[in-house]
Amino acid sequence: MKKQLLASVLLLSVLSAYNQSGSGLIPVPVKYTGHKGHFKVSAGLSIIAPADGEIKKIADHLAFRIGKSSGIRPAVKTGSTTEPKSILLSVNESGNKTPGAYKLYITEEHIMLSASPGNYAGLFYGVQSLLQMMPAAIESNAANHTTQWLVPCGEIEDHPRFGWRGLMLDVSRHFFTVAEVKDYIDQMAKYKFNLLHLHLTDDQGWRIEIKSLPKLTEVGAWRVERTGTFGTMRKPQPGERATYGGFYTHEDIKELVKYAADRYINIMPEIDVPGHSLAALAAYPELSCTPGEYYVSPGDRFMVWPGGGQHFYGLLDNTICPANEKAYEFLDKVFTEVAQLFPFDYIHMGGDETARNFWEKSDAIKAMMKKEKLKNLDEVQSYFVKRMEKIINSKGKKMIGWDEILDGGLAPNAAVMSWRGMKGGIEAAKQGHEVVMSPTDFAYIDYMQGDAIIEPPVYSSLRLKKAYQFEPVPEGVNASLIKGGQANLWTEQVYNTRHLQYMTWPRAFAIAEALWSPKEKRDWNNFSARVEKHFERLDAAQVKYAPSMYDPIFEFSKNDTATIIAKMSMEIEGVSIHYSFDNSFPDQYYPKYTAPLTVPKDAAAMKVITYRDNKPIGRMIVMPVAEMRKRAGIK
Ligand code: ACM
């Protein structure tokens, strides 16, 4: 009897967790109530929508998605009342007015999706939620005739926490084609992101056609081809041709903007100045403070990051010269065309990581400082940023920049994108400026997501669990100034779309939930269980993701006799860690890790793998003793 009681209490708590999690949705909805039974998608299904072109497009999108994967092609009809076996899209005069809010009601007979008048994004997000409630096979590109297309009955009331839910994609370090960016947009839309920030220019390539400055793409979009580790590759060799790269024409941009808009995603362009500008200087070297020959960097070393709190410096001057009037004429032309191409309100002007060592020596900068009464190089940068804002505002746009634009004094109307932690954002908000949070600590998805011994090497690490702790509104800050946040994917080490996907998912799930869902719904165990279900969806969609959460976290220390102590832990529950020190491959019959291990004195490596339900779930990791010694601080 007691056992039965316990079993039913357990069942109830599982069911309530299921209810809380909104039937597995990412991001978790504001309110979900599960009911008994299922709606069955079967032949004869219709989608009914009012006579509104925009809603008809959303209905067509739903019909297309269902048809593509199930082979059951719903009929899209005009109307405003439900019928049996139908999905009704409707406008609810008293619905939640928050942009993106929707209500979804699923019974065995029909499905009803509604949003307030004009809240098309809400209907679109409701469709995404509905699709997420269908079996994972809905993500497949081929019709699957064996799946039971059941949707659990229930009710969802949902709206986003923030209006800015972004992903930044760096298309400069590696170029991604229009088709590849569209694929990225498709994936973003499924998780209710509404902003794609395109980092269009950097030292490694200028990626947007500027008709009045043709050399930007004739020269700046191309570099010599290198494969390897960023910052260590060979400079262009004499006679070598720059053939690697690409750029978006105006037509390409218009196509992308429209494609994204059809999925309720804005595209924000970034032109990163005055630093990160080698590609522009390769085309127009006269814009530099430092005469010389410039080339589009193939990933060679031209900046030095000494670490230990010392300021970075350039071996080459990769900045546009703030003391050169021609630079402002140039940027006026650039921003004129950029403003015409992108309907989004904001243009990002970069402003990050400006090397100062060449400015220090420049006579032109010295003369400008005297003339403009600028006390230091921060004020020089600030002078430049303020002029950028004037240009950008004159094109009818608002300006946003990385948090370095605070240095030397913020431009009067600028918004700040806080990346060096949250402090820049906090400072900007204190000064009354709008802020978008994208701190390295939680939102840099170019960082490694597991141990460096197995992940492709990048500067730093950010595990999924940490990304899930992203809280965009710091204590004591006026929350209304925090527009939202975004994850940033820099692509120095991202050469292709498979790896682009690997770096994005599942961490972008964590960011999507941090930006959409109520703060009090944050629950790591519940989230990580949902992530695993979404891996099935990514598999069906043939989208790559990182399985790093299945691999252990390592910590090495030493005891008094300089023996290595190996400590391992997991981000998620229910996984066992098995190991060997004898060079053989461990499996589930090998010793199971339960407590810190003393590494045998003569071992060469520790091999580790994780299992769940008798199946390997993590990757085979080989940790050489030399690496363990280094991390333990043993000489
Ligand atoms: C940045 O990561 N340099 C903005």
Side-chain angles (χ1 to χ4, degrees), residues 177-421:
T177 63
V178 168
E180 289 168 338
V181 177
K182 284 183 178 175
D183 277 351
Y184 203 67
I185 290 170
D186 281 336
Q187 287 306 312
M188 288 174 70
K190 290 176 189 171
Y191 293 96
K192 304 187 175 82
F193 283 103
N194 68 351
L195 183 94
L196 174 63
H197 165 177
L198 284 181
H199 180 77
L200 288 164
T201 72
D202 212 301
D203 301 305
Q204 287 72 29
W206 184 282
R207 305 293 178 212
I208 177 168
E209 176 188 32
I210 302 296
K211 286 188 195 283
S212 56
L213 296 161
K215 281 201 284 182
L216 279 174
T217 42
E218 283 165 16
V219 176
W222 307 97
R223 63 184 194 236
V224 301
E225 187 163 7
R226 295 284 182 271
T227 306
T229 303
F230 187 81
T232 70
M233 291 182 283
R234 284 167 300 129
K235 292 184 189 314
Q237 302 295 298
E240 201 178 6
R241 290 188 53 217
T243 54
Y244 181 75
F247 64 92
Y248 308 114
T249 63
H250 281 202
E251 290 314 306
D252 290 340
I253 297 283
K254 285 179 200 158
E255 191 179 327
L256 278 176
V257 165
K258 169 155 191 346
Y259 192 85
D262 284 346
R263 287 147 187 82
Y264 299 91
I265 291 175
N266 284 304
I267 301 188
M268 177 175 69
E270 179 186 353
I271 304 294
D272 195 357
V273 285
H276 288 275
S277 291
L278 270 186
L281 295 174
Y284 297 101
E286 63 274 20
L287 300 177
S288 167
C289 302
T290 315
E293 289 222 355
Y294 288 90
Y295 56 86
V296 182
S297 165
D300 56 322
R301 182 169 186 253
F302 62 87
M303 292 283 279
V304 181
W305 305 86
Q310 285 188 65
H311 209 266
F312 56 88
Y313 58 93
L315 302 171
L316 266 181
D317 186 359
N318 69 340
T319 66
I320 298 220
C321 187
N324 184 348
E325 272 309 305
K326 279 205 195 117
Y328 302 101
E329 287 164 27
F330 164 85
L331 286 161
D332 192 285
K333 286 183 182 164
V334 170
F335 286 121
T336 299
E337 293 188 32
V338 168
Q340 283 164 359
L341 284 170
F342 293 91
F344 190 53
D345 291 348
Y346 292 81
I347 291 179
H348 199 303
M349 55 69 58
D352 58 321
E353 299 179 316
T354 312
R356 304 285 174 76
N357 52 307
F358 289 93
W359 289 5
E360 265 161 15
K361 295 194 207 96
S362 161
D363 289 340
I365 295 275
K366 283 179 201 156
M368 178 180 104
M369 289 174 75
K370 210 159 157 197
K371 177 162 172 258
E372 302 293 339
K373 300 189 176 46
L374 305 173
K375 290 194 285 298
N376 53 43
L377 294 178
D378 277 350
E379 292 193 6
V380 171
Q381 156 122 352
S382 167
Y383 171 89
F384 175 86
V385 172
K386 286 175 183 151
R387 290 199 55 181
M388 286 307 99
E389 178 168 84
K390 281 215 179 95
I391 295 175
I392 289 171
N393 289 170
S394 79
K395 314 297 171 204
K397 300 288 182 184
K398 299 192 231 177
M399 187 184 82
I400 187 167
W402 299 111
D403 57 53
E404 286 92 332
I405 67 170
L406 281 152
D407 301 344
L410 201 45
N413 310 309
V416 168
M417 189 168 274
S418 193
W419 73 279
R420 297 174 301 174

